[in-house]
Amino acid sequence: GNVRLHQAGTDATCTSMYFDRAAGFAVCSGEEGWAVLRRDKDVVEGKRIEFDLRNSVVKVRGGARVRVQFDDRSARKTQAVSAAPENFE
């Protein structure tokens, strides 16, 4: 099934989610596709997104794709970043 998580302007969509409140850890998996994390116009995709909620760290594993929008004084630009390693921090 589809899982959606929304918190403070951040949206995550995935096939399944594991959440350990005591450990402050969550995993969003996309076994049948991509797990997707969006904040404003920034997008991170991968087979698995790990959230370290205590330290505000996100790790993407499994063919990570990242699209980050940078603000420029003269114009707005979008830059696509290809992350070859399976771990993107």
Side-chain angles (χ1 to χ4, degrees):
N2 287 337
V3 178
R4 295 191 62 144
L5 174 67
H6 176 78
Q7 183 177 5
T10 301
D11 293 298
T13 305
C14 50
T15 304
S16 64
M17 178 171 271
Y18 168 78
F19 183 71
D20 185 336
R21 183 181 304 266
F25 185 76
V27 176
C28 193
S29 300
E31 290 91 6
E32 299 171 13
W34 293 98
V36 180
L37 176 66
R38 289 185 174 87
R39 179 178 292 155
D40 297 321
K41 294 188 179 185
D42 301 335
V43 180
V44 175
E45 299 173 307
K47 290 290 183 182
R48 176 179 166 111
I49 301 175
E50 300 173 356
F51 301 87
D52 177 344
L53 303 171
R54 290 185 178 162
N55 298 304
S56 298
V57 174
V58 175
K59 294 181 181 180
V60 181
R61 300 183 186 273
R65 295 186 290 196
V66 180
R67 188 174 61 237
V68 179
Q69 181 161 323
F70 297 93
D71 284 328
D72 183 310
R73 290 181 188 208
S74 61
R76 300 196 92 176
K77 297 180 180 180
T78 300
Q79 179 176 340
V81 178
S82 176
E86 288 201 2
N87 183 26
F88 180 84
E89 293 183 22

